[in-house]
Amino acid sequence: MTADSGPTTELTSPNAPKDPKDATAQDTQGAPKVSDAPQAHAQASAQPHPPRPTSTPVTQAVILAGGQGSRLRPYTDDRPKPLVEIPGTGVPILGHQLAWLAAEGVTDVVVSCGHLADVLEEWLDTADLPLRVRTVVEAEPLGRGGGLKYAAKALPRPDEPWYATNGDIWTRFSLRDMAAFHHERDAVATLALARPRIPWGAVETDQFGNVLDFIEAPPSPFLINAGLYVFSPEFAELLPDVGDHERTTFPQLARSKRLAGYQLPQGVYWRAIDTAKDLTEAAKELAAGVGGTPR
């Protein structure tokens, strides 16, 4: 693990390098703290998906893990949101994401930290990781777009494509298929699209206002940004230094038809863990095997 300090729902829509198990640390300010862990047995249920051909396999990723997680308190009083564990899974959200990325062929991950960064770095130093992890710490909040740009500078292969994900997403699907979709469309950026279930019951009526049926937690009629991406190498230069890429970079790419949307396959489990209720619901869904997602 390297640290650089410085500036649900079930959708209804259509090995890592083997490094020696050792760690070195350099604790001077602004200097990296390194820990390259061997391939882990953690989350062994993460089964790699058969790859589709792409021009360049995607083997690096960024995880945005710097948020305050205020809506998840008290769980985030002593840890950042990605280290919160969904009851019954035995692993924090970040552990699940790293195991999934490794199973999909990723060998290097950059984690962008902020809130309680030292706690996250300590967890990485002691965890049995399935890939190499470097952390970068924002000296001041840069926004999601600025955070992505800052973290992308630490990627080991800047001339290759990369994945990115928010640090509060629990899902599993074929990232290789998404990367192939991205390549086939010659996109600069591709975002995963989810169709989560509405958290309220719906009422169906006829044209005369007669109630016909009650539908519990139906699928949303709209697709949403699932917080998972594939980016081409040139994307990083298009990001703002500070601010939100969804208000700047994405609209520009959409106008030039270089932004693609990959709809998650039907039956894939996806949930953003934003609140204590999300934790409870996710625990129930995963225990029941919703979407067939392995823990």
Side-chain angles (χ1 to χ4, degrees), residues 168-190:
D168 59 357
I169 303 299
W170 189 287
T171 188
R172 183 164 289 148
F173 62 93
S174 174
L175 286 172
R176 289 182 174 98
D177 284 354
M178 184 174 170
F181 177 92
H182 171 82
H183 173 63
E184 290 164 1
R185 280 148 186 80
D186 193 28
V188 173
T190 296

Side-chain angles (χ1 to χ4, degrees), residues 138-214:
E138 298 178 18
E140 57 186 26
L142 300 176
R144 290 185 297 173
L148 273 175
K149 187 171 188 175
Y150 181 60
K153 294 176 182 178
L155 289 170
R157 294 172 291 280
D159 58 342
E160 294 183 8
W162 45 291
Y163 298 119
T165 179
N166 296 339
D168 59 357
I169 303 299
W170 189 287
T171 188
R172 183 164 289 148
F173 62 93
S174 174
L175 286 172
R176 289 182 174 98
D177 284 354
M178 184 174 170
F181 177 92
H182 171 82
H183 173 63
E184 290 164 1
R185 280 148 186 80
D186 193 28
V188 173
T190 296
L191 54 153
L193 303 175
R195 194 185 300 275
R197 293 188 176 275
I198 298 172
W200 309 283
V203 179
E204 182 181 359
T205 65
D206 63 18
Q207 58 183 326
F208 303 108
N210 298 310
V211 173
L212 301 178
D213 200 2
F214 296 89

Side-chain angles (χ1 to χ4, degrees), residues 10-56:
E10 180 180 1
L11 304 181
T12 57
S13 64
N15 258 284
K18 297 182 179 178
D19 297 313
K21 189 173 184 181
D22 59 10
T24 62
Q26 302 171 13
D27 291 324
T28 56
Q29 184 174 5
K33 193 162 60 172
V34 179
S35 153
D36 285 341
Q39 183 172 7
H41 56 77
Q43 293 296 292
S45 59
Q47 297 297 323
H49 297 270
R52 289 180 179 176
T54 60
S55 59
T56 302

